[in-house]
Amino acid sequence: MLATWTPSQELTQVRERSGADMKRKLEWYDLVSLGVGGMLGVGVFVTTGQVAHNISGPAVFISYIVAGISAFLSSLCYTEFSVGIPVAGGAFSYLRVTFGEFVGYFGGANILMEYVLSNAAVARSFTEYLCCAFGKSDPNSWRIEVEGLAEGYNMLDLPAVALIIALTFCLCHSTKESSILNLVMTVFHVLFFGFVIVAGFYNGSAKNLVKPRGLAPFGVRGVLDGAAIVYFSYIGYDSVSTLAEEIKNPSKSLPIGIAGSVIIISRSASFSSAFQKIVGWRWASNVVGAGASLGIMASLLVAMLGQARYLCVIGRTRLVPYWFAMVHPSLEHPSTHRICTASIALFTELDIVLEMINIGTLIVFYLVANALMYRRYVQVRHNHPLPVLLFLLLLSLGSLGFAVAWKLGEERWWVLSLFVSATAALTAIFQCRIAGTAGRPPAAEWWVPFMPWPAAASVFLNVF
């Protein structure tokens, strides 16, 4: 359970269990378009409306900035791992070669849950926007209500299931062609997104930032709680990291694709209903509904791409049935089914699915940040593991203490300041005593700069 594999073993012995190799067809611009497509549709049209209405208010853009900073720090950790271990397993492989089989399997289970649930959430949002595109004001117009099932699980979403099946056939055909399809849908989606921005400035009013309850009606707590929900929007870069075995030049393309897509993004049917109910532009509601449908299709395509590759690599380790690991000899990519995703999308309401997603996502990103520091300072620089493990434990406890103090009451600012100062001081001591004594890393690979601060900040934010 605690046995670890070396990166070379992961790249050779474990990889050979798939039978055939995945074909390297993708360039850096494919990765950027896949990352943007995977994040833009989810970020704008699935989470924004609910968070703005119920949690953050107009300050939802600040929630996105906070979530974007955290996502960028996590993406740096992913980038260093993906360049050093360019396999399709993403976080599962990174944790497995660093902390062993058990932690890898725990992280893999969480990441698979994240993909299944997020794909179901996105597929259900597609139905709502498609209704708007065809002039239906009721988002449940194309869903079937079943009496006898619990509320929240009684609206069967057949269009969502049909979309998942259609994209599955597309992904089974070719990864490169799927990337081109994603690029086309993302370009159109960006045009529709520009329309939303222009129309918003035309119909918006600066008074809405002051009245009736100001920019942040739910306070700082609402802004940060909203950031935890919209963080779901940024998980598309994880899918990009799983394409490492299909990239022509991983060491060059992966840093651009992962970090670049997060930077670009960092700048719900609520948009369609706003144009129809508030502004009175029924035609605009239809246009936005169509554009959102394209964006959501692109997001779902990218997420399903990553889900298949996670299952492939986990199958190589025999932790799921072996046939998941097989790479098709002529198509040269993994082909798996999405039955679980389709089942959840069929039955479960979006609100319920969203509540289940973020905890698994944050756990995985927390583990990857810890794994990066352990790998950098123990496995690569050959420091004794005990001081590094002690630092990771104290860092996690300080972050947890800050999170608990925040939940108990936002008036206790001195307690919050104490935890922040303690974790910052701890990181500075670790940098001086451990991180600063090992010299510069090899120049042949990509490394996260200013370590251990980016990884430590990622741990802190993910725990919080």
Side-chain angles (χ1 to χ4, degrees), residues 54-74:
N54 300 319
I55 301 175
S56 300
V60 66
F61 74 93
I62 303 178
S63 297
Y64 269 101
I65 293 174
V66 174
I69 293 172
S70 180
F72 178 69
L73 294 172
S74 294

Side-chain angles (χ1 to χ4, degrees), residues 44-208:
V44 175
F45 294 107
V46 178
T47 58
T48 304
Q50 296 189 34
V51 173
H53 186 266
N54 300 319
I55 301 175
S56 300
V60 66
F61 74 93
I62 303 178
S63 297
Y64 269 101
I65 293 174
V66 174
I69 293 172
S70 180
F72 178 69
L73 294 172
S74 294
S75 72
L76 293 178
C77 300
Y78 264 78
T79 301
E80 179 169 324
F81 266 120
S82 62
V83 171
I85 313 172
V87 294
F92 170 74
S93 295
Y94 310 153
L95 295 174
R96 189 165 169 266
V97 301
T98 305
F99 291 138
E101 294 277 359
F102 177 75
V103 177
Y105 182 70
F106 177 76
N110 274 278
I111 206 75
L112 279 179
M113 180 186 73
E114 166 204 322
Y115 271 101
V116 170
L117 294 176
S118 63
N119 291 350
V122 172
R124 287 190 71 91
S125 294
F126 170 80
T127 304
E128 296 181 9
Y129 280 105
L130 199 62
C131 288
C132 292
F134 284 90
K136 303 288 186 180
S137 58
D138 182 7
N140 291 320
S141 299
W142 291 357
R143 292 173 178 153
I144 302 172
E145 184 174 2
V146 178
E147 296 182 2
L149 295 179
E151 185 177 356
Y153 303 90
N154 60 339
M155 301 297 294
L156 301 188
D157 200 328
L158 296 178
V161 176
L163 175 64
I164 291 172
I165 294 173
L167 291 179
T168 297
F169 281 113
C170 176
L171 290 171
C172 287
H173 176 64
S174 169
T175 301
K176 181 64 176 181
E177 279 67 25
S178 297
S179 172
I180 295 173
L181 176 61
N182 165 79
L183 178 61
V184 172
M185 290 191 294
T186 300
V187 168
F188 278 102
H189 180 215
V190 170
L191 294 176
F192 284 113
F193 188 48
F195 169 78
V196 172
I197 294 175
V198 173
F201 273 106
Y202 179 77
N203 291 282
S205 173
K207 295 180 180 178
N208 293 331

Side-chain angles (χ1 to χ4, degrees), residues 9-22 24 86-87 245 316:
Q9 289 174 320
E10 195 76 21
L11 291 169
T12 55
Q13 298 176 25
V14 178
R15 191 168 165 182
E16 290 172 357
R17 295 175 182 174
S18 290
D21 287 336
M22 301 183 200
R24 296 187 179 275
V87 294
E245 293 183 26
R316 291 173 181 172

Side-chain angles (χ1 to χ4, degrees), residues 17 29 117 180 306-307 320 450:
R17 295 175 182 174
Y29 49 82
L117 294 176
I180 295 173
Q307 180 184 335
V320 296
F450 309 114

